[in-house]
Every structure is written in C-alpha cells, then in structure tokens.
Amino acid sequence: PACDAASPAALAPISTPVAVITHEQSTIGSAFWRRWRKGAEDAAGQLGVSFSYRTSGYNAQLHARLIDHACDAKYLVSVVVTVPFAPGTEGYNRSDCAIKRCLHAK
C-alpha cells in the first residue's frame, strides 16, 4: 500500500541522539519491559549517549506518529523501533511507512 504523509506531531521534543519507540503498554509495567528498558539504559551508558524512551501501547496511529516525530528531531542519530503488528495489517503498514519516511529523511 502507498504511504501517506507524516501526521503532524504535537509531542514533546526529542533532544537526544537515540530514540527508542516500543509498543509497551505503560500501564502494565511488566518485568519484560523493565528489563528491556534497563538494557537500553545500560547500552546508552556504555556508549556515553542519552536516549528518549517512548511507548505507544498497541496504538498503531500513535506508534507511527512517534516514529515520524523522532525522525524529525534535529539531533537524532538512531531510532530503535519495535513493530508488534502482523504483516499486512493497518498497524504494520502505518509503522512500515513511518520507518520508510525516516530512512528517506535521514
């Protein structure tokens, strides 16, 4: 499917070189995601960089907006993204399009 233009994002600015975007449901706070985030924090510490950590739950529209927003950030170098949606679904297509827009923008 064709990709639409990025949605305007009214989100807090990202001023870190690394953005981590997951589908974690922040209300759950599972041991898996605590360990996942701790791994990202440890890696960033070892590399001497800071990062932003954003979650979308399973909201496909928000997930794509977070990716678009991160890719528009002035100082961004890397984006780490989870894609929890099955191939061919609307959520997957939205995420895929946002990732493609990011790759072409950088």
Side-chain angles (χ1 to χ4, degrees):
C3 294
D4 296 330
S7 301
L11 303 167
I14 293 176
S15 58
T16 61
V18 178
V20 178
I21 301 163
T22 74
H23 61 281
E24 173 187 358
Q25 294 177 305
S26 58
T27 57
I28 295 174
S30 73
F32 172 82
W33 287 112
R34 281 193 303 275
R35 181 169 288 162
W36 206 93
R37 184 174 183 155
K38 176 79 168 98
E41 290 169 349
D42 290 349
Q46 290 173 9
L47 295 171
V49 299
S50 58
F51 72 97
S52 65
Y53 186 89
R54 310 280 171 106
T55 62
S56 66
Y58 284 88
N59 181 325
Q61 185 175 9
L62 177 59
H63 205 70
R65 284 183 59 219
L66 289 171
I67 296 167
D68 286 331
H69 183 63
C71 291
D72 287 341
K74 182 176 182 179
Y75 301 106
L76 188 76
V77 175
S78 298
V79 181
V80 178
V81 178
T82 61
V83 181
F85 312 104
T89 63
E90 179 185 353
Y92 181 89
N93 293 338
R94 283 179 182 261
S95 297
D96 188 52
C97 285
I99 291 166
K100 287 177 182 172
R101 282 191 296 271
C102 186
L103 290 171
H104 293 292
K106 295 291 175 183

